[in-house]
Amino acid sequence: MKRIAFIPALSLWLSSSAHAAVETGVAPAGGLFQVLLGLVLVLGLMAALAWALKRFGATRAAGSAVIRVVGGVSVGGRERVLIVEAGDQWIVIGVAPGRVNALATMARQENSAPMAGPAAKNFAGWLKQTMEKRNAQ
């Protein structure tokens, strides 16, 4: 509870200092130091809050993900083709700024890492072969 009482005490101290400066017409000698100290304190609180949210908030949401990115390749400056695993199927999606399009769906492959080995060298050939195999069924 000491941390909670610290913030009102700090604001009371800063407001009384500002009130004294207004009454006398002269800023106290440590006025600039107080402003800088307050700025550092606020920035430190913001950094601590951002760290705490990143540390404790995002971890739990990502741990229970049902969808997993299996692999992908960049096909342009800001465009990518990704393979996403959802349940027992893979979805090939195209991602561009402001758009996400499903290109194809296929059954989940035995090899859970299609980007390993020769497929990593020739993604277009692998994709064509996989789509032809799917269409032949």
Side-chain angles (χ1 to χ4, degrees):
M1 292 299 170
K2 291 181 182 180
R3 290 181 185 170
I4 295 173
F6 175 73
I7 294 173
L10 180 64
S11 65
L12 179 64
W13 176 66
L14 288 174
S15 67
S16 67
S17 172
H19 182 62
V22 169
E23 283 183 355
T24 61
V26 178
L32 181 61
F33 178 72
Q34 287 178 355
V35 169
L36 290 176
L37 181 66
L39 178 64
V40 169
L41 181 69
V42 167
L43 291 176
L45 276 162
M46 289 174 58
L49 181 64
W51 175 81
L53 285 174
K54 183 177 179 183
R55 171 95 171 137
F56 300 113
T59 309
R60 292 187 182 154
S64 63
V66 180
I67 298 176
R68 177 175 75 96
V69 176
V70 177
V73 66
S74 180
V75 293
R78 297 170 62 187
E79 296 83 17
R80 293 183 57 84
V81 176
L82 298 173
I83 299 176
V84 178
E85 181 180 326
D88 61 343
Q89 69 176 199
W90 283 354
I91 305 169
V92 180
I93 59 172
V95 180
R99 283 187 86 142
V100 177
N101 293 326
L103 303 176
T105 59
M106 63 187 87
R108 183 175 182 257
Q109 306 292 315
E110 297 83 33
N111 182 6
S112 64
M115 295 312 197
K121 295 177 185 172
N122 189 2
F123 179 77
W126 175 84
L127 182 61
K128 182 179 177 183
Q129 179 186 15
T130 304
M131 290 185 69
E132 286 174 355
K133 187 189 316 181
R134 185 186 132 254
N135 290 337
Q137 294 176 355

